[in-house]
Every structure is written in C-alpha cells, then in structure tokens.
C-alpha cells in the first residue's frame, strides 16, 4: 500500500469499477439489443477477442443515434460505485491526480467526472461519431481506448505528459491490467466488487472486493487513521479485500509496494 500512498496519480477504469454498471450494456439494453452486446462485452473483458474488434461489433449492433444517447442519459443517472466519492476526495486531498481511462463513451463519462470534480481533460474514453442527421457514423479510432492495448498507451501518455514517477491503475478487466506495462502503471489493483474475473485476480498486484477498504487502508498508511479509530467493519473489509476467491494466494499490502 506504500506505493499507492506515494503515487502521483491513480487511474480508474469506469465500467464495473468506478461505476457499478457496464454503460455499453446498459445503452444496448435501452436500444433493445442487450443480450447480443452483453456477450460481446464479456468476450472483450475476458481477453478472448481484441477490444477494437469487440467495440466495432458492439456499436455496429447498437447503431446509437445522437438522440438515442440524449434520451439514455436523461433516463439513466450514473451508478457510481459505493465508496468512490470518498476515495476520490481522499486522493485529491493528498494532492494525487485522478484519471478515468475507459473503453466506454465520453458522452457518459464526462458528466460523471464533472460531478466528482475530475477535469474532463483527465478522461480518456471513446467518442461516438454522428452524421449530420444525428444517425450513427462510427467511432473515433484516434482515441487511445478504441484499440487493444489502448489503456496502456493512455497511461503511458499520462505518465510521460505529466512527468509522473508513480501511477496506479484500478480496474476489473484484462484491458485494465494491460496498463500495467513498462512505462505505464507501476501497480495494478484488480477490483471484483461488481464482476469477479479469475484471470484478472491472478494477474493483479492486489485484488479487492470493496472500494471503501482501499480508502481505509490508505488512510492508515498516510497516518490519517489508527487501528483504534478504524471501525471493526473497516478492518473486516480490509482483510476481506486481501483475499480472492478459490485457491488464489492471499495478497498483503507489502506486495503492492514492490
């Protein structure tokens, strides 16, 4: 946990991490093609197909118009994961920058960033393109997250552009783990509070099931809380988040500081 305490910036995946839903799946369900798109999402996050191919396939099925997106956003308020606002507040209070690196869409993520005081310049996500009549026209392939390995490229870009020494990535999928690469994230915290993925858990430096536990543990390392001031439920959550399902080896905070 010392490495997280020393980090210059923390980058979060959005779908099923920063937020408790998969926005692409939610949009697809809203458009009546939920089952087809959910299967393509599972394949993408499990690493069985390239993200770029999966994104193109999902959007090709969805064909979202500008009006579709407007109506979706009006009817579906953000489902921010429990504990995220508190963790963001703590990180920002310690002078750490927060970035959102997502395979989702800017139209969905920008309002969430603004809600939590994160500059939209700190958002790296996909842009849906529209024709003049508002119909679907494709997506911007220049965006980092539009292609396989794009999250790693985004984190490398963040680190180099801001001259950061230490960056941590938090996410639930294999595309998030890809950010843990030379020149990219220095550690990867896998998150299974929404969806547990065994392959991601095994690759993580630290695998957690609860966002509030990260906040509690970070406060402890920073000296903002003591064992006596932390509630028993907080410590219970910390202990819980250090163990994954099945026969996965227990992870300690020391492992994150290697």
């Amino acid at each position: 946990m010392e490495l997280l305490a020393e980090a210059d910036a923390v980058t979060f995946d959005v779908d099923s991490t920063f937020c408790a839903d998969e926005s692409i799946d939610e949009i697809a369900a809203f458009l009546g093609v939920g089952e087809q798109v959910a299967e393509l999402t599972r394949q993408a996050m499990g690493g069985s197909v390239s993200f770029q191919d999966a994104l193109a396939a999902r959007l090709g099925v969805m064909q979202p118009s500008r009006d579709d997106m407007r109506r979706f956003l009006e009817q579906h308020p953000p489902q921010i994961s429990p504990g995220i606002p508190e963790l963001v507040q703590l990180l920002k209070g310690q002078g750490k920058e927060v970035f959102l690196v997502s395979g989702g869409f800017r139209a969905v993520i920008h309002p969430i960033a603004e809600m939590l005081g994160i500059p939209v310049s700190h958002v790296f996500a996909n842009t849906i393109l529209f024709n003049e009549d508002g119909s679907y026209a494709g997506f911007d392939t220049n965006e980092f997250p539009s292609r396989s390995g794009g999250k790693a490229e985004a984190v490398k870009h963040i680190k180099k552009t801001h001259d950061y020494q230490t960056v941590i990535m938090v996410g639930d999928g294999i595309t998030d783990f890809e950010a843990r690469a030379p020149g990219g994230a220095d550690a990867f915290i896998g998150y299974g509070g929404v969806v547990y993925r065994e392959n991601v858990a095994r690759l993580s430096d630290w695998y957690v099931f609860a966002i509030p536990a990260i906040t509690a543990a970070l406060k402890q390392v920073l000296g903002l809380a003591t064992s006596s001031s932390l509630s028993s439920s907080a410590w219970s959550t910390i202990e819980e988040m250090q163990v994954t399902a099945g026969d996965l080896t227990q992870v300690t905070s020391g492992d994150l500081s290697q």
Side-chain angles (χ1 to χ4, degrees), residues 26 32 153:
E26 294 297 320
E153 292 180 36

Side-chain angles (χ1 to χ4, degrees), residues 41-92:
T41 297
R42 283 191 289 271
Q43 293 174 12
M45 295 306 290
S48 58
V49 298
S50 74
F51 184 83
Q52 188 173 41
D53 289 344
L55 179 61
R58 286 180 287 182
L59 284 172
V61 170
M62 293 160 62
Q63 294 285 312
S65 68
R66 182 182 286 113
D67 187 60
D68 288 334
M69 294 303 298
R70 178 189 59 77
R71 291 187 297 108
F72 173 81
L73 292 172
E74 288 177 350
Q75 298 177 32
H76 294 78
Q79 302 297 312
I80 297 173
S81 293
I84 282 292
E86 294 79 7
L87 178 55
V88 169
Q89 182 179 26
L90 175 61
L91 292 170
K92 292 172 63 179

